[in-house]
Amino acid sequence: KSKDKQQSKWSKDLREKLIESNTLCMNHEKNMNKIFRGFYEKHLKDFLKE
């Protein structure tokens, strides 16, 4: 049973780290999309119409 508790703690810690990592990646991707949309609206949109 001691091993089950250790496994459970290990699984819980790993799960929390994965969630944190996924959240950071998702926020980074959102930020990149926001920056690109701004760049597109400001520079590329008119250039591509020509």
Side-chain angles (χ1 to χ4, degrees):
K1 292 206 174 207
S2 174
K3 189 175 181 180
D4 288 344
K5 286 182 182 180
Q6 287 178 338
Q7 182 72 25
S8 177
K9 181 175 176 5
W10 176 83
S11 297
K12 187 176 182 182
D13 290 345
L14 182 60
R15 181 179 182 275
E16 289 174 8
K17 287 179 183 178
L18 285 171
I19 290 171
E20 181 182 344
S21 177
N22 286 342
T23 301
L24 288 173
C25 287
M26 185 175 64
N27 287 337
H28 179 69
E29 186 171 352
K30 284 180 184 178
N31 221 9
M32 287 186 353
N33 286 337
K34 180 180 172 185
I35 290 168
F36 178 77
R37 278 195 306 272
F39 177 77
Y40 175 81
E41 289 294 326
K42 204 177 239 186
H43 302 287
L44 287 180
K45 197 175 186 180
D46 292 334
F47 176 76
L48 292 173
K49 286 181 180 178
E50 293 176 4

